[in-house]
Amino acid sequence: PGMQGKGLGKEIMHALEEKARKDGFAYVLLDTWDGPRILSFYLCCGYKVAGIIPNFVLYKGAYHDSYLFWKKL
């Protein structure tokens, strides 16, 4: 949390996308749960929601939806 909002996550995602592009990949696919700030982070990075799996992730005694994201490189 102390590093949030400093652009480090976006730098990491950009490096991952560049590596994938150089390795010949056309898309990046990922999934994450609906935790605080997570969904807006990936949307801000240009990812699109491909689907939602309801109540798929158990975290601290509560179930959360899992979001599947994609981005064309």
Side-chain angles (χ1 to χ4, degrees):
M3 295 300 291
Q4 287 181 340
K6 299 185 187 314
L8 184 59
K10 287 183 183 177
E11 283 184 40
I12 292 169
M13 292 305 295
H14 180 72
L16 171 117
E17 292 164 4
E18 283 301 308
K19 172 74 170 131
R21 189 177 290 113
K22 287 178 184 175
D23 287 349
F25 289 91
Y27 292 89
V28 173
L29 307 173
L30 60 90
D31 73 288
T32 187
W33 65 295
D34 60 355
R37 299 179 70 176
I38 297 172
L39 300 178
S40 61
F41 170 76
Y42 287 115
L43 291 170
C44 219
C45 288
Y47 285 80
K48 308 231 184 304
V49 176
I52 302 168
I53 304 172
N55 298 313
F56 188 72
V57 177
L58 179 61
Y59 179 71
K60 292 188 178 180
Y63 283 94
H64 300 268
D65 295 344
S66 178
Y67 284 73
L68 308 173
F69 284 93
W70 68 275
K71 182 176 182 179
K72 182 164 176 44
L73 299 175

